[in-house]
Structures are given as structure tokens and as C-alpha cells.
Amino acid sequence: MLASLIVLSVVVAGWALGAKRLERWRVTAPMILVLAGVAVGFPLRGGLESSLDAEFAQSIAEIILAVLLFLDATDVRGGLFGTERRAAVRLLFVAMPLSLVASVLLGEWLLPGLDWAVLLVIACVVVPIDFAPAASILRDGRVPERIRNALKVEGGYNDGIVSPVFIFALVLAGDESRGATPLQALSSALPQAIKAIIVGLVVGALLAVAANAAERRDLMTDQSKRLILVTAPLLSYGMSVAISGSGFVAAFVCGIALNYLRRSPSFRRDLELVDDVGALLTAAMWFVFGAVTVLALSAGVPVAMLVFCLMALTLVRMVPILVALIGTGFSWRERVLIGWLGPRGTTSIVFGLLAFNVLAGDAADQALLATVVVVLGSVVLHGIGAPAAAHARGHSQTRLTA
């Protein structure tokens, strides 16, 4: 444990010292952290499985996810669904459900030994996007602003929206005491989601209103404005779990409420502290993911799983998006670019670890393997390919305007 902490700290410090140049070389922090995690994972692989399959590990993963979902929700600007509302709504409520269904159907074909509930768990792992492996895309001026705005909303909300589906699938795919039928699973998962939504809305609204009032009366310091945003996801998570609700769903809803109701010209600057905390947690998850990779790949990867993950990263996302964005004003090329710019990252890692913790036997192993293969594939395809796609887009635009 101590050795892992030292290695993680050294790697993060080393990356920070050369971050600007490394980004120009298209070497991202996740790439380096995964390699470091792999190096540490080899000597630790004997006890790694028991460490992951523990209630403490599940709680830590849920808290990390709560903070990251809160951050995603507060990153959306320009209203509830951003400036490209029509496209964002279609990406979230048409394309994403179609992708989940397509993933389950593909799994039925390529992974026939798994129950459909387990396939739905895996779909919830491989479908949501996260820009950690290719964060520079959202700042790249070569990508049209309307595409970046739509992707920001999708990346901010998709993991939170899919979370209740993930909870339902986990309950259904877990042991018999958790729920043997879809109706029993729904009766168990639905109250968790409802409690989480109520807690998230109440905590987020109360904190936003209280912070607005305190700022008008000049009662807050710059530091206190930042600290209240750090406590928000933790408070909503803790209160939701205390009444048997979903903690990370509550944190996500809390982030939406705060983002919508907080009235402060310094709100974006105030988020910097929780954003830095999130960056450290993300770094830790990529490091853990590298170690988990050693465990998951130790028995090899079947060809069927490789094909499934490759399809999940490409056609399973792209085809639903091409269909969903018909009539939105986005050109064919823009829709293809949106479909391609869909990296998987920290959300998939945390969902995968939670699935491994809750599921049993071959189902747990397959969920972890799918997580590892799809995220590694995304690090390569999107960490390198996404900047290349942006460059190609910028080059084609230059030729058209020349």
C-alpha cells in the first residue's frame, strides 16, 4: 500500500512537471498512470482480487464516482442542456438508450454465456463517455464549438442518467436475495433512485440558496465559497446512503441543482478546488485501473470479447448518434465526428469495479474484462485518434476556406 502511494505520487508529480509538453506529444496523464499501475500490479496481483472484492473498496469507488458525477453536472453551461439543447437531448435520451440496447443485443450474439441482466450491466459500463483520455478535445478550437457544446452536455449528464439503469441491472444480476425477477429488481432499485433524486435536489437547492444569501450579505470568503462546493457531493452522498438511497445519483442531482440555482459571478472559479480534488481522484482511479489490468488480462482475452469492445467503441455509439441527430441541423460529417469523439474513462472504470464487487463468478470476471478492454481501447483510439480527427477536421476546413 505504501509503495503504491509513493509510486502514484511520483508519477503524478512527474507528469505535472512536463504536462504541457507531454500534451503536445499526445501523451496523456491516463496513459502514464495506467502504465505505472501495470508495473505495480504485477507484484500485487496475488492479493488484488480480494482487495477489490470488499465492501470498503466498493464504498471508496462510490464516493469517487459521486465527486466525479457532481463535477460533470456542474460543468454544463448555457442552461440545463447547454446551448445546443435539441442535439443534447437527443444524444442523451435517444442515442444513449439505443446504444444500451445495441450493446445488449451485441452481447447476446458475441457473449452468449451471460444473462441479459449481466449484459445490461456491461452495457452501462461501456456506453457512457468520459473525456478523461482526450480532455484536450473539449478545448480544441479545430472542433466546431457547437459540437464541443453538445459533447460537454453529453459527457456531463450521460453517466448520471445511466446510473439508475446501472443500479437496476446490478440488483437484477446480483444474487437471488437482491431480486430474481425484473419486477423485484425494479421494486428494489426504484426507491433507491427516488430517494437519491429527492436528497440531491434538496441538498443542492438548499446549499445554492444559502450560498446566494450569504454572498449577498458578504458573509463568505473566497476559500469558503470553494469549500462549500467540495462538501456538496459528500453531503448529498452521505445523506442519501443514510436513508438507503443511491449516493452517487444524489451527488449528480445535487450538482445539477447547484449549477442551475447558484448565482455568483465567481462560480466557475469557485469550482477549481473540487475540480482539483476530482483530478486527483481520477489519477488514483487510472492508477488502480492499471493494476486491475494485470488481473483482468492474466487469463487472456477471447476474440469475441475483443470484437464486442471494438464494436462498443465504434458502431454501437456511432450508428445511434447518426440516427438520433437527423433533423438537428448537424451535417453528416459533424454527426460522424460526434460519434467518433466518444472516449471512455473514469466512469467506466468505477462502474466496472462496482460490477466486479457486486457480481459473482464468471459474470464478475467478464464485466471486469470488458471494462479493461474497452477503456484500454479508448485510451489508444481516442487518446491518439481524437486529436488526429480534430487535426483532420481543421485541415479540411482550411482547404474549404482557402
Side-chain angles (χ1 to χ4, degrees):
M1 180 66 181
L2 183 59
S4 299
L5 177 63
I6 293 172
V7 172
L8 174 61
S9 301
V10 169
V11 171
V12 171
W15 174 83
L17 290 172
K20 184 178 289 188
R21 179 164 296 183
L22 288 171
E23 285 188 359
R24 287 202 299 266
W25 293 343
R26 296 179 185 172
V27 178
T28 64
M31 293 179 185
I32 298 173
L33 288 161
V34 168
L35 291 176
V38 168
V40 171
F42 275 104
L44 296 179
R45 58 182 171 180
L48 192 57
E49 183 172 356
S50 59
S51 298
L52 292 175
D53 193 14
E55 186 174 346
F56 176 76
Q58 180 178 344
S59 298
I60 293 297
E62 287 185 355
I63 292 172
I64 291 175
L65 181 60
V67 174
L68 297 180
L69 290 181
F70 175 85
L71 277 171
D72 286 344
T74 55
D75 196 40
V76 175
R77 307 183 188 187
L80 188 59
F81 289 104
T83 56
E84 296 292 335
R85 295 176 183 83
R86 189 178 181 188
V89 168
R90 291 201 185 187
L91 287 174
L92 292 168
F93 299 108
V94 179
M96 188 170 67
L98 287 176
S99 292
L100 290 172
V101 171
S103 177
V104 172
L105 294 176
L106 183 66
E108 290 276 6
W109 175 45
L110 292 172
L111 310 172
L114 297 178
D115 184 76
W116 73 268
V118 176
L119 293 174
L120 182 56
V121 170
I122 293 175
C124 292
V125 171
V126 303
V127 166
I129 67 170
D130 175 14
F131 279 89
S136 61
I137 286 299
L138 296 179
R139 305 186 300 270
D140 197 322
R142 294 170 298 186
V143 177
E145 186 177 3
R146 62 193 308 226
I147 290 179
R148 283 182 280 135
N149 288 338
L151 287 172
K152 281 182 181 178
V153 178
E154 184 190 6
Y157 287 165
N158 70 160
D159 40 13
I161 291 173
V162 85
S163 292
V165 181
F166 178 70
I167 295 170
F168 164 77
L170 272 185
V171 171
L172 186 61
D175 59 45
E176 293 183 1
S177 64
R178 294 176 183 267
T181 67
L183 187 59
Q184 289 174 325
L186 187 62
S187 66
S188 175
L190 191 59
Q192 293 184 49
I194 292 174
K195 291 175 184 177
I197 292 170
I198 293 173
V199 169
L201 284 173
V202 170
V203 171
L206 287 178
L207 287 178
V209 171
N212 291 339
E215 189 169 18
R216 284 195 302 269
R217 292 168 174 77
D218 197 25
L219 299 177
M220 302 178 74
T221 65
D222 290 341
Q223 185 183 55
S224 69
K225 293 177 187 178
R226 295 191 296 269
L227 286 175
I228 198 170
L229 293 175
V230 174
T231 62
L234 302 178
L235 178 60
S236 53
Y237 173 88
M239 292 188 68
S240 183
V241 171
I243 59 172
S244 301
S246 170
F248 49 84
V249 173
F252 170 70
V253 176
C254 177
I256 294 176
L258 258 172
N259 191 42
Y260 192 71
L261 297 174
R262 181 75 169 99
R263 299 287 181 263
S264 173
S266 65
F267 181 61
R268 295 297 159 193
R269 189 172 66 250
D270 298 338
L271 282 167
E272 289 178 358
L273 177 58
V274 67
D275 191 47
D276 289 340
V277 171
L280 285 173
L281 294 176
T282 299
M285 289 310 304
W286 282 105
F287 182 75
V288 170
F289 173 74
V292 169
T293 298
V294 177
L295 174 65
L297 300 183
S298 58
V301 184
V303 174
M305 179 62 78
L306 284 174
V307 175
F308 172 81
C309 292
L310 179 61
M311 296 286 282
L313 288 170
T314 53
L315 294 180
V316 167
R317 171 174 170 80
M318 192 168 292
V319 173
I321 284 178
L322 292 177
V323 172
L325 293 183
I326 293 174
T328 58
F330 283 85
S331 69
W332 175 262
R333 285 189 175 184
E334 287 175 328
R335 281 183 277 154
V336 170
L337 187 58
I338 290 174
W340 173 246
L341 297 178
R344 280 36 162 214
T346 316
T347 301
S348 294
I349 295 171
V350 178
F351 276 177
L353 293 177
L354 290 174
F356 180 76
N357 189 281
V358 172
L359 300 178
D362 184 58
D365 294 337
Q366 292 299 306
L368 188 64
L369 183 59
T371 303
V372 167
V373 176
V374 83
V375 173
L376 283 179
S378 183
V379 168
V380 175
L381 287 176
H382 298 110
I384 299 173
H391 177 76
R393 167 76 189 185
H395 184 63
S396 67
Q397 288 297 104
T398 301
R399 285 192 302 171
L400 287 174
T401 56

